[in-house]
Amino acid sequence: MAGADSVEKLEDVIVRSAEQVAGEVRAAKEAISTVIFGQDRVVENTLVTILSGGHALLIGVPGLAKTKLVETLGVTLGLDAKRVQFTPDLMPSDILGAEVLDETAAGKRSFRFIAGPVFAQLLMADEINRASPRTQSALLQAMQEQHITVAGARHDLPKPFHVLATQNPLEQEGTYPLPEAQLDRFLMEIDVDYPDRDAERRILFDTTGAEQNTPKAAMSADQLVSAQRLVRRLPVGDSVVEAILSLVRSARPGPEAGDLGKLIAWGPGPRASQSLMMAVRARALLDGRLAPSIDDVLDLAEPVLKHRMALTFSARAEGRTIPDVIQKLKSRIG
C-alpha cells in the first residue's frame, strides 16, 4: 500500500512539473513569436530540439531570419549565446581555443588555455559548410561528449550546450559538404521556408519602423535544464515505441524496407531512434501533453531522418527524393 502511495505521489510530482514546465516553454514560444514572424513550424522544431538536449541544422536561403532566430532563442531561454561565422580560412583553434605561453615578471613560463567561442550554452555555427572539413570536425567531440580536448587536457563545456548551425542550400561554390558523422550529430535538419504573405506584411511594418520588437527573457538556463530532465521522464507508450522502431528500421536498406529498400543506399542508425524518441517527448511537453502519440512520430519523422539517409544513384536518376521515400514509409504506420 505504501508503495502504491509513493508511486501515486511520484506521478503527481511529474504531472505538476510537466504543467509548470509546459507553461514556461509556451511563454518562451510566445516571446519568440513577437520577434520571428511566419516561421511557427521552424520555431517549434527548434524548441523541440533544444528541449531534447540536441543540436539543429537550419537550412534556408539568406534573409529568412535564421541568425535572428538563434539570437532570439539565446535571449528568450536565458542562454549565453555566441556566434561563429564559418569561413574557408577558419581554424579549429578559432572555435575551440588554444594554449598560449605566458611569462611572469620573474621569468617563469607556463601555458595558459584561452577558451574559444565554443564555450557557450548556445553556439551559432553560421554557414557551417563554408569551413574546411578539418575545422568542421572540431565540433564533433563537443556536440557528442559535451567537452573538448586541447593539448591532451579535457575542458568541459557549460550546460546546457547546443549548436544551431545554418546552411545555404543555393550557394555551393567554395563550400564543403558536412560529413555523415557530423550530420548524424544533429538531432534535426530544419528547413526554413519563405513566410506567407500576411507574415511578410507584418515583417515589413515591424522591422522598418522607428521602433522594433526586442526579445524578452522567458526562461533561465537552470529552468531549461530542469525541462530537459523532465522530458526524459515522460512515459512513452508501447505503440509509440513500436512506431519509432518500425519507421527507423524501414528507412535502412534491407528486408524491413520492403520494395523501398532498393531505393536506399544507406539509412539511419540507432542514434536516429534515440533522437526521435526524445523529440516526440519534447513535442508532447511543448503541447502540454504528458505522453507522446503516434502523430508526433509521423510529424517529426522527416526532420529527424532526412539528413541520415541517402538514395541510390538509380533512385536519384528516376527523380526520387528522400522526403518522398519518408512519406511512403510513414504511410505504412498511419
Side-chain angles (χ1 to χ4, degrees), residues 126-143:
D126 203 8
E127 294 192 280
I128 189 172
N129 59 330
R130 290 200 174 277
S132 67
R134 178 186 179 190
T135 303
Q136 290 176 8
S137 64
L139 285 175
L140 286 174
Q141 184 182 23
M143 292 172 70

Side-chain angles (χ1 to χ4, degrees), residues 76-120:
T76 304
L77 300 178
L79 301 178
D80 173 29
K82 293 181 182 176
R83 178 176 181 264
V84 177
Q85 181 65 52
F86 278 58
T87 57
D89 60 347
L90 193 73
M91 299 296 290
S93 58
D94 296 329
I95 302 172
L96 305 180
E99 288 197 325
V100 297
L101 185 63
D102 279 347
E103 184 173 356
T104 64
K108 184 179 179 180
R109 296 180 177 180
S110 61
F111 284 99
R112 177 170 59 90
F113 177 69
I114 299 179
V118 75
F119 287 86

Side-chain angles (χ1 to χ4, degrees), residues 63-85:
L64 295 183
K66 298 186 297 296
T67 303
K68 186 72 171 176
L69 171 61
V70 180
E71 293 173 355
T72 303
L73 282 166
V75 175
T76 304
L77 300 178
L79 301 178
D80 173 29
K82 293 181 182 176
R83 178 176 181 264
V84 177
Q85 181 65 52

